[in-house]
Amino acid sequence: MPLPLQGLSAIVTGAGRGLGRAEALELARLGAAVVVNDYGQAGRDGSGEASAGPAEEVAAEIRAAGGAALAHTGDVSDFRQAGELVGSAVAAFGKLDILVNNAGILRDRMVFSMAEEEWDAVLRVHLKGHFNTTRFAAAHWRERSKRAGEPVFGRIVNTSSEAFLAGSAGQPNYAAAKGGIVGLTTSTALALGKYGVTANAICPRARTRMTEDVFAGVEHASGNGLDPLAPEHVAPLVGYLASPAAARVNGQLLVVHGGMVAVVERPRVAAKFDSKQDTFTYDELEAVLGPYYGDRPAGETFAAAEVLGLKRG
């Protein structure tokens, strides 16, 4: 019986460590040939010299298990290098079928003390990095579809975060980037559906180099059990979304961790008020919105994670 991703090729960005590594290994286990992309910097803030080591190690691990893989150490936040990444997959495997965008960095700071460079760096790697690879992959699929005269197979899995859903006080840059990724995902899903391509986003919760502070107080599983926050809990969902079986899943946002997957609904209107005249006056707005918010504690914000029955990670 053929594997679900047999004959397909994939790119996974940020795949030298953590979530990306687990995702690359899972796609390979399901039969895909994988381009393992990682810029290889030592610091989770994007500091340190670039290194081929992390990407090469994961690619070698895939090959040792009988799979096909090559390493790519380009910076996905650079438009040209992102194009070269997609081109390397096409050159090596004849086509690209799956794109998993995972690469990211952190520059945590409260909004009142964040430097411009800290904002720009995180938006560049996360949001622009997602756009760069998506742009070149989308062009590849559109060209193939037009040449074939019919839809082709294409899958995009993007990485958002619960920081976007519920807010994260010390991560305004990260939360904004992850929210932007959801917008990019839904726009891409609408634009590429007619070519046979789906685009979805996940909000994973996992113990990685980037989240070591967040989950510092959360105990690992005891005995031989898998840590509830292990990246291996996230990877199977990525494998599914990348497969032919997920053809009807498009433009969706899913939260995943520790043996749980939650499908997030698009925002719905919670309340609606109509003016009794041509337009609202200040007094009229105060009269309708004041009582609506009056029973809530001052400063309370919407927390989508609570709607999901989750605590923010």
Side-chain angles (χ1 to χ4, degrees), residues 140-158:
H140 168 70
W141 288 318
R142 179 174 179 268
E143 180 187 358
R144 280 177 51 201
S145 177
K146 291 198 166 200
R147 192 168 60 243
E150 61 184 4
V152 296
F153 182 92
R155 298 285 186 269
I156 299 173
V157 182
N158 289 331

Side-chain angles (χ1 to χ4, degrees), residues 3 54 63 100 189 249:
L3 295 170
R63 291 192 294 267
V100 179
V249 185

Side-chain angles (χ1 to χ4, degrees), residues 158-211:
N158 289 331
T159 306
S160 184
S161 170
E162 289 174 85
F164 149 68
L165 284 171
S168 184
Q171 297 180 307
N173 47 4
Y174 180 76
K178 292 306 189 182
I181 285 168
V182 174
L184 172 65
T185 302
T186 54
S187 176
T188 302
L190 289 172
L192 299 187
K194 65 181 179 180
Y195 301 116
V197 180
T198 67
N200 296 286
I202 62 171
C203 293
R205 192 186 303 180
R207 197 190 307 273
T208 69
R209 184 177 60 148
M210 283 184 62
T211 61

